Amino acid sequence: MPRAGLAPATVVAAGAALADEVGLARLTMGLLAERVGVRTPSLYKHVASQDDLNRRIAALALNEAADAVGGAVQGLAGPDALAAAARAFRAFVLDHPGRYAATVGVEPTGPDDPMAAAGERLLGAFTAALRGYEIAECDVNHALRMLRSLCHGFATLQSAGGFRWSTDVDESFEWLIRFADRGLRTM
Amino acid sequence: MPRAGLAPATVVAAGAALADEVGLARLTMGLLAERVGVRTPSLYKHVASQDDLNRRIAALALNEAADAVGGAVQGLAGPDALAAAARAFRAFVLDHPGRYAATVGVEPTGPDDPMAAAGERLLGAFTAALRGYEIAECDVNHALRMLRSLCHGFATLQSAGGFRWSTDVDESFEWLIRFADRGLRTM
DNA sequence: GGGCATGGCTAACGTCGATAGCTTTAAGCT
DNA sequence: AGCTTAAAGCTATCGACGTTAGCCATGCCC
């Protein structure tokens, strides 16, 4: 029996990809094992449990989202930065619905949990997107939460098929970006 | 063996209550059976499957949310209506996290699915909350989606423990309501 | 009182997550 | 090179859970 040459990172990456393909709810240890060419119990040499796998996928997803948003904001400020961040975030969620779904409803276990750091990174990227707006110190956390709620809510609702009727969804999102921009401008 | 006097609605209500208590992910057919005083297979005389149970809980939750939001908006218009709707919605999600969680990620099976009607009712309640604002015909769907994304995003993020740091969450939500109000006022 | 639909029950199966314990691989030391 | 040993694979197995089959008691309707 030749070795498969697996590492935790390989397993997690394959799990994230599989979750994107079949949906997080249908991501099973057996399916993942088959995907990486190994028997189910062997996976437990690399991840502690399915919950552990989920957390690692979540950390990966948050880091990737932070990269996407951070990269999009690079060199921009004000409305351009805001729009770029929002679009990058939504695109990431729509492209990777499974791994993003892994991030909802899981709390970091402690302050040294990689997920916590990844979440901070994503938050930092959104903070950078607010650079250029005149936001009072006491309002910045509120604005950040507003922006995160807006992007998270829209992307997850769309990803779940929540927008059913006719109006064009992309158009709604652009409208929403302009709405947030106008609001942030007049503070 | 005396009859338990169950009906589908009883089972669904108990399931929703249990989901709120232990979390939707831990809602199991066995646990629900124990709760209603019956053996597991007997539940299948009232619901077709766990997926069916989930859909019925979702329909119940959407109807209750529509009632809550609709009732709160009653007799109000403009900023007052908007604030009342948003507060009622968030309160519902925080009070009933399990049954609300049942609504995310499930699509209505067809046009006669009770879930679709319930969703329309909730949408109608939010639409009523926008009465009093001067919104162009072509913008009303966008505004509705914005409002829904904002409320859904904030409530689910908070419900999942997504706001970890210090700033007061209630205060953020009130800030968010004022933000939306200002934006809707100037269109 | 005698059908008969209804709503319980027990028994059992398949799937899935997880653990135990064995074996083999391959890396590293002497 | 050859031995040691941790790591990584395997089979076998368990327990939980969803689901189905098939049986039996209840209680309504005539």
Side-chain angles (χ1 to χ4, degrees):
Chain A
M1 54 192 90
R3 296 249 167 143
L6 288 185
T10 321
V11 173
V12 171
L18 199 49
D20 289 339
E21 288 174 32
V22 305
L24 183 67
R26 278 191 278 270
L27 172 60
T28 190
M29 296 300 270
L31 198 59
L32 177 55
E34 188 181 1
R35 170 66 63 102
V36 299
V38 105
R39 300 292 184 152
T40 305
S42 304
L43 291 180
Y44 291 85
K45 299 288 169 142
H46 305 287
V47 295
S49 65
Q50 195 171 33
D51 185 70
D52 179 44
L53 173 67
N54 213 316
R55 301 183 105 79
R56 291 180 195 237
I57 292 176
L60 175 68
L62 288 177
N63 271 316
E64 289 175 348
D67 291 343
V69 174
V73 167
Q74 202 82 342
L76 302 178
D80 293 339
L82 180 74
R87 291 193 194 109
F89 181 81
R90 183 172 79 117
F92 178 79
V93 175
L94 294 182
D95 281 349
H96 305 289
R99 73 235 273 154
Y100 187 75
T103 69
V104 318
V106 286
E107 295 231 39
T109 56
D112 57 344
D113 189 329
M115 235 184 65
E120 293 299 321
R121 285 193 61 217
L122 179 56
L123 214 64
F126 272 117
T127 308
L130 290 182
R131 202 150 306 177
Y133 290 100
E134 311 265 343
I135 303 176
E137 183 62 27
C138 62
D139 285 343
V140 64
N141 269 338
H142 299 319
L144 215 42
R145 285 174 171 171
M146 183 274 295
L147 185 56
R148 178 133 173 65
S149 297
L150 207 51
C151 289
H152 172 81
F154 193 97
T156 53
L157 281 174
Q158 183 188 358
S159 175
F163 297 134
R164 282 188 299 288
W165 69 98
S166 53
T167 315
D168 184 69
V169 178
D170 294 343
E171 204 182 316
S172 283
F173 194 68
E174 292 299 322
W175 187 95
L176 180 149
I177 291 174
R178 288 194 300 274
F179 182 87
D181 171 55
R182 282 204 329 269
L184 290 171
R185 231 189 263 259
T186 64
M187 300 197 38
Chain B
M1 56 194 87
R3 298 249 167 144
L6 288 185
T10 321
V11 173
V12 171
L18 199 48
D20 289 340
E21 289 174 32
V22 305
L24 183 67
R26 278 190 279 270
L27 173 60
T28 190
M29 297 299 271
L31 199 59
L32 177 55
E34 188 181 1
R35 170 66 62 102
V36 299
V38 104
R39 300 291 185 157
T40 305
S42 305
L43 291 180
Y44 291 84
K45 298 290 169 131
H46 305 287
V47 296
S49 65
Q50 195 172 31
D51 185 70
D52 179 44
L53 173 67
N54 213 315
R55 303 183 103 81
R56 290 180 195 236
I57 292 177
L60 175 67
L62 288 177
N63 272 316
E64 288 176 348
D67 291 343
V69 173
V73 167
Q74 201 83 343
L76 302 177
D80 292 341
L82 179 73
R87 291 192 195 110
F89 181 80
R90 183 172 78 118
F92 177 80
V93 176
L94 294 182
D95 281 348
H96 305 289
R99 74 234 274 155
Y100 187 75
T103 69
V104 318
V106 285
E107 295 233 38
T109 56
D112 56 344
D113 189 330
M115 236 184 63
E120 292 300 320
R121 284 193 61 219
L122 179 57
L123 214 63
F126 272 117
T127 308
L130 290 181
R131 202 151 308 176
Y133 290 100
E134 310 266 342
I135 303 177
E137 184 61 27
C138 63
D139 285 342
V140 63
N141 269 338
H142 300 319
L144 216 43
R145 284 174 171 173
M146 183 274 295
L147 186 57
R148 179 133 172 67
S149 298
L150 208 51
C151 289
H152 172 81
F154 193 96
T156 52
L157 281 174
Q158 183 188 359
S159 175
F163 298 135
R164 282 187 300 287
W165 70 98
S166 52
T167 315
D168 183 69
V169 178
D170 294 343
E171 204 183 316
S172 284
F173 193 67
E174 292 300 322
W175 187 96
L176 181 147
I177 291 174
R178 288 195 300 275
F179 183 89
D181 170 55
R182 282 204 329 269
L184 290 170
R185 229 189 265 259
T186 64
M187 300 197 39

